[in-house]
Amino acid sequence: MPIQRAKPPEQLYADIAAYDRVIVPDAPLASAINRRIDHPHFGTFAIPPRRLAAGRREQAEDRLAFLEVVDQTEYNWQAIAYAIGNVLQCWEHQGTIDALLDYDAYVDEATQEVVEVMSSLQTTSQQLTEYTIEADDIAVVGYDQLTTLERSILPAEYDQIDLFTNDAFDPPAFHIFDSPTEIVDALLDTITAENADNVAVVLDSGSHYSSLVESAFEAADIPFYGGPGFIDDPHHRAFVQLLRTAFRGSATTVGDVRPVLTQMGQDIPIDHTQKRLDTLDHPTVAWIQDFTASIHTQTFAEALADYEHQTGIELTRFDEELQTIGLADHSITSDAVDDLAYYLQTYEVPVDRENEGVLLADAKSSGYVDRPVVFYLGLDQDWTHSAPQRPWVDTDAQFDRYLRQFQLLLQSGAEQYYLVQDTSGGQPVTPCLYFGDLLDEGFDRFSDLDAVTHTRPTATTSPGFEKTDYDVETESVETISQSSLNTYVNSPRDYFFSRLLDIPDQERFVEGNLFHDFAEFYVTHPAIIEDTDLSTLVDVMLEEAAPFVAGTDEPLTRRKYRIGLETIIEYLDEYGPTSDDFLTPASGWGTNFFAEYFHEPVESPLTERWFENSALGIKGKIDLVQAPDQLLDYKSGRQKSAYSVVKNAAIDPPGDTPNFQAALYLSHYRTRQPDEPLEFTFFHFLETLDDIITGDADIEDTLTTISYYPFTFDEYVGSREAYDELVDHYNDCTATFEDVGYSAYSDIMAQLSFPDTTEKDELRASTFATEFSTAVGAVVAEDIDHEKGCDQAIRKLNGIRQRTFFREDLDAFEAFIDDRLAELNQRRAGDDRFPIEGPGGEPNYRRVDNRDLLLEGDR
């Protein structure tokens, strides 16, 4: 069905001018018609049923009923609100207050009492039930939009006037923008303080558009109304959040109260964000600590006065509302705070506002907007109503009512502008589902319809921010660490912001540093640790990590710390270095928690070995040089397999979780041990935490070792080492190559070249596989399944390649580093922007630290 053309207010007035009384479904439509009256008329002409029955502007009867019922019953607030919602909705659709009692599944003692109390209240619904129109000449505009209760006031005879004509409405084109910010910018390009009274903006009040538009209008001094409600006041929200914080327990962090601090005009360094509020010794949070500690002895009114005194803000309207709902003199308890929060989230508290400026209309509650110019923002699936899923609601009739309301809303005003996004977060935006019933053409997104695409201009006449030029040279980045490289490859833009912004201290960093320091100290002073009770060390670790460990978590954290220390001791006792003669003395840098605790120096050249290799452009810190050919890194996180480590070090293209630590450290260390095989081991000392508790732990399960060979993979496949791997494999593989022998195997491999692909199916279908199987078959005994043995061998060799670094891998990685450094310095010099996407494409947003600064659609 096409969009039906709505009658403009002038035509509607012409159709109904001769009537004594006109009933309309929507108050703004009634006002629009009444403004067109061209002759004297006694009393109100066009009016909605509820306003006619109540004799005044309609009030939120659900809130008024709630206040009365709460005062007269003892049920909890949620049960009362639920029952009132059902009573009013059923009353609206069935016409009587006790209609709900016919639906047994929705009737309980609270509901019965709510019906009884509400029967005696003069709510708008009650007045509608009792009211009947007595005028002679009655017209009803949009009869189908009226509910059963609203129709109950109609007399026996009246004329129905359709809201729509028989013609179709040809909607204007959709204006597609790249982001909500650009849509708001388009509004500001058009709307001024001078023309604000002629403009309406229709949007989903629960969407991000609402706050963006309100903030933009406030910044531009453009008056508006219909926007923020009572609970949207920042101080109202902050006070409620502060009350709830007092009952969150010891897990409350500084970050949880940062919005409150902002409203109080206070700032606190970002490094404290993840620390527990009750452990922090900082003057900025001292008042909040005192407030939350003493809140159990205060009433709501006293706590509000305390907040007002601290902020210098008078919250008179909030105090009045506390009096209204009976909480002002109530002691503050967790349940009472929950009740307050529930009330404010459920009911719209009236606020005084000037009805001047741009009208902000909610897409789901408005049926008509009487302004010359109307902007529609979003028009996405969130504009679609969810029909009440209750047995007393005719869902088909309700859907038709919503559909007609949507059609009328789309045509409000003399000029309509539909401002939308085609994509959001890389995904298509689904248009409001009503368009599927109203438009003949098929579509999945707005660009499939009649649309105009707008892009942000590259140049502007605006002077922008004031700039000062400085005659300084850009410093080049000569070396990069593995962590910075990981961030840069995932998203150069995220790397850029990570260099500008501080990040908060985090529990995993603090814990990781403590374990690293312990391991470093133990390598140097094992005797001191042997003479010390580990429980004492666990105590000092807990004290250091106290800002991040809630009291309820302390037993588990204590056990984790002890097991971690014991596992580190077990590993170093069994596998630790026996000599440091192969290393030069360490340069000595940084601090060590346990060295300071024991007042002993840490001077071993084996631990925390810093390197900066300017020739390769890399730098880092080796946790432990275990042997001349083996490096070790301590990890407190989850274990990764050798396959995953090598996969995450991919460069053509980089993977979804880039991590180049092993490749970077081995690249450096092969310059110290040229032409030697090397190993890099990740020691995940907490990996067997559960196994230790059950008694099934094995230190080997904590280790992931990556090998590096100073020759190519092609050279490896013909080596004795590769042959030994094959004869210690599956049965057919073992039998095949034991029969072949190493000499013949080496000769065969010398004539072949292993394919570049690592895909199993491609390897099996390769020329190499065919030639390899044929050559082996020519020398192996007939009773051996050499084809199966060769297939197993190919998979075994490919598996080794997928979990090992060979010379060509690190050569390519070093070239990759050179390219990234050149690219990075070009961007630092201002020759190019730092893009969001890295060499592997769209970043993995789970590994992004500055997500809020990476604007969607901005490349």
Side-chain angles (χ1 to χ4, degrees), residues 388-498:
Q389 299 300 309
R390 292 290 188 269
W392 52 81
V393 177
D394 184 336
T395 54
D396 290 337
Q398 187 63 35
F399 177 82
D400 290 340
R401 192 175 290 121
Y402 288 148
L403 192 63
R404 286 188 293 269
Q405 177 180 311
F406 182 71
Q407 293 181 81
L408 182 62
L409 182 63
L410 285 182
Q411 302 174 58
S412 296
E415 299 178 40
Q416 304 91 21
Y417 298 94
Y418 304 159
L419 312 184
V420 301
Q421 282 183 268
D422 197 45
T423 60
S424 178
Q427 299 297 319
V429 171
T430 302
C432 178
L433 302 186
Y434 297 132
F435 284 120
D437 292 88
L438 299 175
L439 301 178
D440 295 330
E441 53 191 309
F443 62 91
D444 294 313
R445 55 203 296 176
F446 287 110
S447 57
D448 295 334
L449 301 167
D450 181 18
V452 178
T453 300
H454 299 265
T455 57
R456 186 186 295 273
T458 56
T460 178
T461 57
S462 172
F465 293 107
E466 182 179 346
K467 299 178 181 178
T468 302
D469 292 327
Y470 293 95
D471 185 17
V472 295
E473 294 184 2
T474 303
E475 293 184 3
S476 295
V477 173
E478 302 297 334
T479 56
I480 191 168
S481 68
Q482 59 92 11
S483 59
S484 293
L485 180 63
N486 296 340
T487 301
Y488 181 81
V489 170
N490 186 50
S491 172
R493 184 79 57 83
D494 187 46
Y495 165 85
F496 170 72
F497 283 119
S498 72

Side-chain angles (χ1 to χ4, degrees), residues 359-370:
L359 169 62
L360 301 184
D362 181 22
K364 290 184 179 179
S365 60
S366 301
Y368 181 80
V369 178
D370 186 29

Side-chain angles (χ1 to χ4, degrees), residues 243-258:
L243 294 178
R244 305 197 81 162
T245 296
F247 296 97
R248 292 187 59 177
S250 61
T252 302
T253 66
V254 173
D256 294 330
V257 299
R258 189 174 288 277

Side-chain angles (χ1 to χ4, degrees), residues 397-661:
Q398 187 63 35
F399 177 82
D400 290 340
R401 192 175 290 121
Y402 288 148
L403 192 63
R404 286 188 293 269
Q405 177 180 311
F406 182 71
Q407 293 181 81
L408 182 62
L409 182 63
L410 285 182
Q411 302 174 58
S412 296
E415 299 178 40
Q416 304 91 21
Y417 298 94
Y418 304 159
L419 312 184
V420 301
Q421 282 183 268
D422 197 45
T423 60
S424 178
Q427 299 297 319
V429 171
T430 302
C432 178
L433 302 186
Y434 297 132
F435 284 120
D437 292 88
L438 299 175
L439 301 178
D440 295 330
E441 53 191 309
F443 62 91
D444 294 313
R445 55 203 296 176
F446 287 110
S447 57
D448 295 334
L449 301 167
D450 181 18
V452 178
T453 300
H454 299 265
T455 57
R456 186 186 295 273
T458 56
T460 178
T461 57
S462 172
F465 293 107
E466 182 179 346
K467 299 178 181 178
T468 302
D469 292 327
Y470 293 95
D471 185 17
V472 295
E473 294 184 2
T474 303
E475 293 184 3
S476 295
V477 173
E478 302 297 334
T479 56
I480 191 168
S481 68
Q482 59 92 11
S483 59
S484 293
L485 180 63
N486 296 340
T487 301
Y488 181 81
V489 170
N490 186 50
S491 172
R493 184 79 57 83
D494 187 46
Y495 165 85
F496 170 72
F497 283 119
S498 72
R499 310 303 294 174
L500 297 178
L501 304 173
D502 293 329
I503 62 172
D505 293 341
Q506 298 182 36
E507 179 180 5
R508 61 189 179 94
F509 291 152
V510 173
E511 287 186 347
N513 289 338
L514 287 170
F515 282 119
H516 276 71
D517 286 355
F518 174 81
E520 179 186 18
F521 187 84
Y522 186 73
V523 169
T524 308
H525 302 289
I528 293 178
I529 298 301
E530 290 171 3
D531 293 337
T532 303
D533 186 350
L534 287 187
S535 297
T536 303
L537 300 185
V538 171
D539 288 340
V540 298
M541 290 175 68
L542 276 171
E543 184 178 350
E544 182 70 10
F548 303 97
V549 180
T552 54
D553 296 334
E554 184 176 320
L556 290 177
T557 304
R558 180 179 295 278
R559 178 179 298 176
K560 179 176 72 172
Y561 285 3
R562 186 177 185 93
I563 290 176
L565 298 182
E566 291 174 342
T567 305
I568 291 172
I569 291 172
E570 179 185 355
Y571 175 82
L572 291 175
D573 284 349
E574 185 171 352
Y575 298 104
T578 57
S579 172
D580 60 9
D581 294 342
F582 58 91
L583 286 174
T584 59
S587 58
W589 68 284
T591 61
N592 182 293
F593 176 81
F594 290 94
E596 294 178 354
Y597 175 75
F598 285 107
H599 304 290
E600 294 285 350
V602 178
E603 298 176 346
S604 171
L606 298 168
T607 61
E608 304 295 307
R609 184 88 181 185
W610 173 260
F611 69 87
E612 190 157 359
N613 192 323
S614 57
L616 299 182
I618 56 179
K619 60 185 177 182
K621 184 180 65 174
I622 302 170
D623 288 348
L624 177 66
V625 182
Q626 190 162 334
D629 59 352
Q630 188 169 12
L631 308 180
L632 184 99
D633 194 78
Y634 302 105
K635 294 293 183 186
S636 58
R638 300 299 299 174
Q639 187 176 24
K640 302 291 191 300
S641 67
Y643 170 80
S644 295
V645 172
V646 173
K647 180 182 178 182
N648 290 340
I651 58 175
D652 188 24
D656 189 47
T657 54
N659 192 321
F660 302 106
Q661 182 178 9

